[in-house]
C-alpha cells in the first residue's frame, strides 16, 4: 500500500444476511469496535485514509443504512451490483437513483460470480460502470483470471482484456481521473476456496493493472487508483498481503461475515497504514 492512496477494506456479503440479520450484525460491529479497533485505526478511519465498507445484498441495504447511522457512521456501504440506466424495463435490476435515495454511493461491479453464474460480460459491466460513474457513484470493478488461464500463462492477457473491455476510454482529463474507480483483483481460483494468491502473485498482478492504468490514463490516475486484492483473505493472511506496494486493501467474502474477523481485517488495515506513515 501507499499512504497517499490509503486503504479500503470491503466485506462482500454475497447472498448472506437478510434485513433483520443485517441490523443485528451491524449493531454488533458497532459495539465490538470499541475494543477491537486501536486509536491508530480509529484515526485512519476518521481521516478517510482508511475506509471500512460492507457490501450487503440489495434487500438488506436499507437496514444496513439505518443501522450504520447509529452503530458506526464511518462504515461505508456498497451495493453488490446495479444497472447503468436510471430506470426502465429491466426486471430484477436495481438503479443508481434507487440506491442514492437511501444514501448508497458505492457499487461493486463485475464480480466473478456475476460473470460466471449470471452471464455478465465485460460489455455489460462496462455499460453499468459508465452509467453509474455518470451518476456520481464510486464503482469497484472486479477482474481476475481462472485457474486454467493462470496455468496456461494467460493471467496478464486476461487482466488486460478485462480492463480494456470494462473501463471507458478517456483522455487524461476524463472522468477516470476523479478517483471514483477502484479495481479489485480477484483470481477466480482463490475465491471461496481457501487458496490465497501469494503476496508476490498479488503484487505481480496489481503491478500489471497499475501499469495498464498508467499507459491508458496517465501517471496521476494510476497513482491514485486503489487496487484491492480478493480471494480467501482472512485475518491470518491480510497483513502480509497489505505489505505489497500495489495492494491497497482487500475485498473479503467469507471472513467478513463474522464480526470479530471483519474488525480484525479493518484493524490490520489501520496497522498497515500506521506502519507506512
Ligand atoms: P472470499 O470471497 O473472501 O470468500 O474468497 C471474496 C470475494 O468473492 O469477493
Amino acid at each position: 500500500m501507499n499512504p497517499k492512496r490509503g486503504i479500503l477494506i470491503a466485506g462482500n456479503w454475497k447472498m448472506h444476511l437478510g434485513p433483520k440479520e443485517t441490523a443485528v450484525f451491524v449493531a454488533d460491529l458497532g459495539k465490538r469496535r470499541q475494543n477491537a479497533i486501536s486509536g491508530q485505526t480509529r484515526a485512519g478511519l476518521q481521516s478517510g485514509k482508511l475506509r471500512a465498507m460492507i457490501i450487503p445484498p440489495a434487500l438488506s441495504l436499507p437496514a444496513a443504512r439505518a443501522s450504520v447511522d447509529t452503530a458506526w457512521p464511518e462504515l461505508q456501504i456498497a451495493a453488490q451490483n446495479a444497472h447503468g440506466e436510471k430506470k426502465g424495463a429491466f426486471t430484477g435490476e436495481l438503479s443508481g437513483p434507487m440506491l442514492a435515495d437511501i444514501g448508497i454511493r458505492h457499487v461493486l461491479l463485475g464480480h466473478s460470480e456475476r460473470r460466471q453464474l449470471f452471464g455478465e460480460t465485460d460489455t455489460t459491466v462496462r455499460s453499468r460502470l459508465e452509467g453509474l460513474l455518470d451518476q456520481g457513484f464510486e464503482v469497484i470493478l472486479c477482474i481476475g483470471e481462472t485457474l486454467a488461464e493462470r496455468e496456461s500463462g494467460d493471467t496478464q492477457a486476461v487482466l488486460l482484456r478485462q480492463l480494456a473491455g470494462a473501463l471507458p476510454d478517456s483522455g487524461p482529463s476524463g472522468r477516470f481521473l476523479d478517483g471514483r474507480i477502484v479495481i479489485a483483483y480477484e483470481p477466480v481460483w482463490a475465491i471461496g476456496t481457501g487458496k490465497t494468491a501469494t503476496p508476490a502473485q498479488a503484487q505481480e498482478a496489481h503491478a500489471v493493472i497499475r501499469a495498464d492504468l498508467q499507459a491508458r490514463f496517465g501517471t496521476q490516475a494510476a497513482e491514485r487508483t486503489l487496487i484491492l486484492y480478493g480471494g480467501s483473505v482472512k485475518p491470518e493472511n491480510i497483513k502480509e498481503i497489505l505489505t505489497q506496494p500495489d495492494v491497497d486493501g482487500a475485498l473479503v467474502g467469507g471472513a467478513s461475515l463474522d464480526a470479530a474477523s471483519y474488525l480484525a481485517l479493518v484493524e490490520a488495515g489501520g496497522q498497515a497504514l500506521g506502519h507506512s506513515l
Side-chain angles (χ1 to χ4, degrees):
M1 58 87 47
N2 175 326
K4 278 200 232 120
R5 284 193 289 273
I7 291 186
L8 171 58
I9 306 292
N12 174 14
W13 293 4
K14 310 191 179 188
M15 201 170 73
H16 296 283
L17 303 184
K20 287 181 191 145
E21 293 164 314
T22 292
V24 171
F25 186 78
V26 172
D28 189 35
L29 277 182
K31 274 194 223 113
R32 285 169 182 256
R33 86 187 147 112
Q34 314 295 349
N35 295 325
I37 280 183
S38 63
Q40 179 173 302
T41 297
R42 204 166 300 131
L45 287 165
Q46 275 159 4
S47 73
K49 280 280 173 204
L50 172 64
R51 294 161 61 199
M53 182 183 275
I54 52 171
I55 315 180
L59 196 63
S60 300
L61 289 170
R65 175 77 277 154
S67 324
V68 159
D69 287 346
T70 50
W72 190 358
E74 287 145 359
L75 188 59
Q76 299 184 328
I77 306 169
Q80 293 178 10
N81 199 10
H83 202 277
E85 295 292 330
K86 291 185 175 170
K87 60 181 174 179
F90 304 108
T91 301
E93 289 287 331
L94 185 68
S95 77
M98 294 171 193
L99 294 171
D101 193 35
I102 57 161
I104 307 290
R105 308 299 311 164
H106 315 274
V107 182
L108 188 71
L109 288 177
H111 189 279
S112 65
E113 287 150 19
R114 297 296 322 163
R115 295 174 190 258
Q116 295 204 314
L117 306 174
F118 302 100
E120 291 220 26
T121 63
D122 287 334
T123 310
T124 65
V125 171
R126 181 184 184 136
S127 70
R128 290 173 188 271
L129 181 137
E130 289 188 321
L132 291 163
L133 282 177
D134 276 345
Q135 294 170 48
F137 284 84
E138 177 186 65
V139 301
I140 303 172
L141 168 67
C142 303
I143 58 173
E145 81 287 359
T146 61
L147 186 59
E149 288 164 340
R150 174 161 284 268
E151 284 176 345
S152 55
D154 291 336
T155 298
Q156 176 161 343
V158 169
L159 298 179
L160 296 179
R161 190 189 68 221
Q162 290 177 329
L163 286 171
L167 286 182
D169 296 318
S170 90
S173 60
R175 54 192 159 176
F176 190 79
L177 279 179
D178 65 7
R180 280 187 290 120
I181 299 182
V182 174
I183 310 287
Y185 167 61
E186 297 204 305
V188 178
W189 49 271
I191 295 177
T193 57
K195 284 188 207 145
T196 320
T198 64
Q201 284 172 325
Q203 170 58 27
E204 196 182 3
H206 285 220
V208 166
I209 294 166
R210 205 175 302 282
D212 184 54
L213 296 178
Q214 175 159 17
R216 287 174 63 199
F217 304 103
T219 303
Q220 212 193 343
E223 281 305 313
R224 71 190 296 177
T225 299
L226 295 177
I227 307 177
L228 314 182
Y229 169 77
S232 299
V233 174
K234 39 189 186 279
E236 299 78 51
N237 60 24
I238 189 169
K239 212 169 130 188
E240 220 187 344
I241 290 168
L242 290 180
T243 59
Q244 301 302 310
D246 287 300
V247 177
D248 308 309
L251 179 58
V252 188
S256 72
L257 290 166
D258 174 86
S261 155
Y262 178 70
L263 289 166
L265 294 165
V266 173
E267 177 59 24
Q271 293 298 326
L273 198 58
H275 289 149
S276 68
L277 294 175

